[in-house]
Amino acid sequence: MDKNFYIKKSAQVFDAIVVGSGITGGWAAKELTEKGLKVLMVERGKPVEHRQDYPGEGVQAWKLPFRNAMNYQLVEDQYYIQRQCYAFGDSSKQFFMNDRDYPYSTPEGKPFSWIRGNQLGGKSLLWARQSYRLSDYDFNANLADGHGVDWPIRYKDLEQWYSYVERHAGISGSKENIPVLPDSEFLPPFEFNNVELALKKKIEAKFPDRKMIMGRCAHLTQPAPHHLEQGRLQCQARNECHKGCSFGANFSTQSSTLPAALKTNNLSIATNAIVHSVIYDPKTNRAKGVRIIDSETMETREYFGKMVFLCASTLGTTQIMLNSISERFPTGIANSSGVLGHYLMDHLYGSGAVGRIDGFEDEYYSGRRPTAPYIPNFRNVKEKHPNFFRGYSLSGSASRENWGSFAKKDGFGADFKKQIQNAGSWYFSLHGSGEMLPRYDNQVSLHPTLKDKWGMPQLHIEASFTENDYKMNEDIANTAAEILEAAGAKDIVKHVIRRNEDRPFGLSIHEMGTARMGRDPKTSVLNGNNQTHDVPNLFVTDGACMTSNAWQNPSLTYMAITARACDFAVKQLKLGKI
């Protein structure tokens, strides 16, 4: 591949600068370049070439020095936060950043786990690819119960953009006609195993409001011609997505949006470029570009553009905005409302239940697939729950206790070996993904004195769960157990998150809300087109823009919102309004 699109210094005034190269940065680059704009993508991490830079792909655990575990001292020194991520291991560590180089602070008793992927493609190389639309239940939620400001958009505003991004990305799933979870433009769904099919029948008979569907995900179960033209092939269900996928079967910047953007010859990329701040021109009230620090040489440079899209991830974008101070914006660019950095949200994970399923001894196939059964939200949809606001989904799967579980059991000798050779019992688990209320007190700010190795002020993150969250966690565990019992499960074990320390805030890796959208410039940073109320040519389309976090995985909404914002921005640019 011709690498002339990589640049260091440039005096060019680009039509647009996109900061970040993850899911939203990739979509912004694709949309803006395909509409004819000359675009510079700025990425703080190293380049990652599709197929070439996936060293862990296809490497089995027994071929790694520590069976995909890592040197203890190395983890303690450099990955003491990142190691908490389910996808972290020896074969994927290159896609996680070094915690020592990117410190941040939290108050005592309020831990926060910030999982980051600082490389070209960002966390698009790591995400679980669960892909769900929001509905008007979600866009109306803040207005309905009074927690948070009203979304400035509704489902009808985003519906066509969901369809647009789904056709390009490729979303597997089944049409179900569930009001709280609108159907997507689907490729065929992955299959249930026979145990799950039997449980699905029992669950839906007992609970008519709880439909168990196959999880919707951004994997190509049956590539369409336009996917094949992108060089993407059918998912092989290897369950190694986080190591990189040379088939391009799962959606990532590298497999999908970046090739589309490069195809236009309108894209330039600056890697190892840490954005220090947005350059603001008070005379025109416009963003002029960005200041960067070269992570390899420590040199500082400036890049210039007619508009700026911040897609650096929720906290990354917020850090840049808070650090972009001027006489007009002494607390951060576009922060006349004073809410920049506030209303940080994450999803409630970790609570649920598991039980043994008797029978099915002649069933051995648990399924190889990158997704799992899913029960969409049914709480606070028709009847108000007395103990908490908002709702949650449940997901889980049926699998047989396998030989790998014996690694954690006591045993020795011939009897132990014999046990390992026998397939164990079937188990079915359900765990929740709950919505959190937006709260002003959950916030990030710049530390007044501490800086990182490049001289950037560190983020200070102060966030905690509330009684609403804990009561929802209790209900998730109790309801999961109730469903398992109705399905015939035995020896059911519940697990409930009751303290910050049980599962740190942030570990669901769905941080959102710190530059939220809203109707009123006095209470929000962005308008309904993801344009800052204060600076017309400055846009934010990553998770920072979210007004509430709903109960669904958010990435599909980020994609749709980004494509919609790009369409608006280009029209405004051509009209000379920004």
Side-chain angles (χ1 to χ4, degrees):
M1 179 185 290
D2 183 356
K3 305 293 176 54
N4 290 333
F5 51 82
Y6 285 118
I7 68 164
K8 281 287 187 181
K9 298 180 180 179
S10 175
Q12 181 177 349
V13 178
F14 294 90
D15 293 320
I17 293 176
V18 175
V19 179
S21 62
I23 288 175
T24 58
W27 268 103
K30 172 187 175 299
E31 294 303 298
L32 296 172
T33 55
E34 288 184 341
K35 293 178 187 299
L37 271 59
K38 295 294 185 184
V39 175
L40 173 64
M41 172 186 277
V42 184
E43 165 55 48
R44 68 183 301 152
K46 62 184 181 298
V48 171
E49 296 298 329
H50 188 40
R51 300 192 173 99
Q52 296 178 27
D53 292 331
Y54 304 151
E57 183 185 17
V59 180
Q60 300 301 327
W62 57 83
K63 294 183 179 179
L64 294 167
F66 303 108
R67 306 295 189 263
N68 204 36
M70 288 178 58
N71 179 282
Y72 175 78
Q73 197 58 52
L74 178 67
V75 173
E76 286 293 301
D77 289 344
Q78 299 184 19
Y79 299 106
Y80 41 88
I81 299 294
Q82 307 307 304
R83 67 179 178 183
Q84 300 172 57
C85 178
Y86 66 94
F88 179 79
D90 197 20
S91 58
S92 60
K93 63 181 183 300
Q94 65 277 3
F95 298 142
F96 291 85
M97 48 137 281
N98 184 328
D99 289 311
R100 187 180 55 197
D101 290 341
Y102 295 92
Y104 59 94
S105 59
T106 59
E108 187 174 351
K110 295 184 178 180
F112 186 94
S113 295
W114 189 4
I115 306 300
R116 286 173 281 183
N118 290 346
Q119 63 270 326
L120 190 66
K123 287 184 288 190
S124 79
L125 293 165
L126 292 167
W127 69 301
R129 297 175 177 85
Q130 291 291 295
S131 301
Y132 303 97
R133 294 189 181 193
L134 270 58
S135 74
D136 269 336
Y137 287 95
D138 307 301
F139 290 112
N140 281 313
N142 285 5
L143 183 65
D145 62 31
H147 293 275
V149 298
D150 188 23
W151 277 87
I153 58 174
R154 289 295 184 267
Y155 180 70
K156 64 179 175 54
D157 298 307
L158 214 51
E159 183 175 10
Q160 68 166 307
W161 296 103
Y162 275 128
S163 293
Y164 176 76
V165 299
E166 287 162 354
R167 285 193 291 269
H168 181 85
I171 308 297
S172 71
S174 55
K175 290 192 178 298
E176 302 285 352
N177 194 29
I178 301 171
V180 298
L181 189 67
D183 290 325
S184 295
E185 307 282 338
F186 288 128
L187 301 175
F190 285 91
E191 294 182 343
F192 293 95
N193 63 42
N194 286 339
V195 180
E196 291 162 349
L197 282 173
L199 299 181
K200 170 181 166 66
K201 189 177 294 184
K202 290 183 178 179
I203 292 169
E204 293 180 354
K206 175 72 175 179
F207 306 103
D209 63 336
R210 303 173 193 179
K211 196 166 187 177
M212 192 164 94
I213 66 175
M214 183 48 66
R216 300 166 178 177
C217 60
H219 291 74
L220 302 182
T221 49
Q222 186 176 304
H226 63 275
H227 297 130
L228 297 174
E229 288 175 9
Q230 295 172 26
R232 302 178 63 195
L233 302 173
Q234 183 172 336
C235 178
Q236 306 298 304
R238 298 180 298 169
N239 292 353
E240 294 190 333
C241 306
H242 53 287
K243 299 177 182 177
C245 181
S246 291
F247 293 95
N250 59 32
F251 174 87
S252 69
T253 295
Q254 271 79 357
S255 71
S256 187
T257 47
L258 188 57
L262 290 172
K263 189 177 178 180
T264 67
N265 291 319
N266 286 330
L267 182 66
S268 299
I269 304 174
T271 55
N272 296 305
I274 300 171
V275 174
H276 171 277
S277 54
V278 175
I279 304 169
Y280 172 69
D281 181 0
K283 295 179 181 177
T284 59
N285 189 33
R286 298 290 189 272
K288 290 176 56 181
V290 294
R291 299 182 186 87
I292 70 102
I293 303 166
D294 190 308
S295 64
E296 296 180 310
T297 66
M298 299 293 284
E299 292 178 334
T300 58
R301 292 192 291 277
E302 294 181 341
Y303 297 124
F304 297 97
K306 297 175 183 175
M307 60 183 179
V308 175
F309 268 68
L310 294 177
C311 304
S313 80
T314 295
L315 298 185
T317 285
T318 306
Q319 185 177 28
I320 292 168
M321 294 181 76
L322 290 169
N323 203 38
S324 304
I325 59 174
S326 61
E327 185 174 347
R328 182 183 173 194
F329 299 115
T331 60
I333 193 165
N335 190 28
S336 64
S337 65
V339 302
L340 179 65
H342 294 272
Y343 301 101
L344 175 63
M345 299 170 284
D346 192 17
H347 276 132
L348 305 178
Y349 276 18
S351 296
V354 61
R356 192 187 72 250
I357 305 297
D358 291 339
F360 302 99
E361 283 85 1
D362 58 345
E363 293 285 346
Y364 295 94
Y365 183 67
S366 61
R368 289 182 65 85
R369 63 192 180 209
T371 187
Y374 187 81
I375 301 175
N377 177 46
F378 45 86
R379 281 285 184 254
N380 287 316
V381 175
K382 294 181 178 177
E383 297 180 4
K384 185 180 181 313
H385 195 281
N387 296 333
F388 60 86
F389 296 98
R390 310 296 169 94
Y392 56 83
S393 63
L394 294 169
S395 61
S397 61
S399 61
R400 206 158 184 173
E401 190 179 28
N402 61 24
W403 63 269
S405 63
F406 283 81
K408 299 176 182 177
K409 291 185 176 181
D410 294 333
F412 184 77
D415 288 344
F416 191 63
K417 289 181 180 177
K418 189 175 181 180
Q419 290 180 48
I420 294 175
Q421 292 170 356
N422 295 324
S425 299
W426 282 93
Y427 283 86
F428 187 59
S429 64
L430 285 173
H431 57 269
S433 171
E435 180 171 1
M436 176 180 289
L437 298 175
R439 295 175 58 239
Y440 182 85
D441 291 343
N442 283 343
Q443 61 180 298
V444 298
S445 57
L446 297 183
H447 196 282
T449 57
L450 297 177
K451 296 184 178 181
D452 64 21
K453 62 186 286 186
W454 294 283
M456 282 282 288
Q458 293 182 23
L459 273 188
H460 182 71
I461 306 173
E462 182 172 3
S464 59
F465 300 113
T466 66
E467 279 305 301
N468 195 79
D469 303 325
Y470 293 132
K471 288 177 179 176
M472 184 183 289
N473 281 333
E474 288 280 354
D475 191 66
I476 288 171
N478 291 336
T479 303
E482 177 190 38
I483 292 173
L484 290 172
E485 185 175 7
K490 304 291 192 319
D491 297 333
I492 297 169
V493 177
K494 295 189 289 186
H495 42 100
V496 187
I497 302 299
R498 294 191 173 94
R499 305 177 306 158
N500 275 16
E501 292 81 357
D502 290 343
R503 182 182 172 87
F505 203 117
L507 193 53
S508 300
I509 325 178
H510 290 169
E511 57 267 26
M512 300 180 232
T514 45
R516 67 183 183 182
M517 299 167 72
R519 301 178 188 277
D520 187 348
K522 295 179 180 177
T523 59
S524 58
V525 178
L526 307 171
N527 65 19
N529 292 303
N530 293 80
Q531 179 185 35
T532 62
H533 289 296
D534 295 334
V535 183
N537 67 338
L538 180 62
F539 294 81
V540 177
T541 67
D542 57 28
C545 78
M546 298 291 278
T547 311
S548 66
N549 69 339
W551 47 271
Q552 302 91 324
N553 298 58
S555 296
L556 183 65
T557 298
Y558 298 168
M559 296 185 207
I561 269 181
T562 300
R564 179 174 178 270
C566 288
D567 184 69
F568 170 82
V570 172
K571 289 176 179 172
Q572 294 295 298
L573 184 68
K574 290 180 177 177
L575 290 171
K577 293 185 176 180
I578 61 175

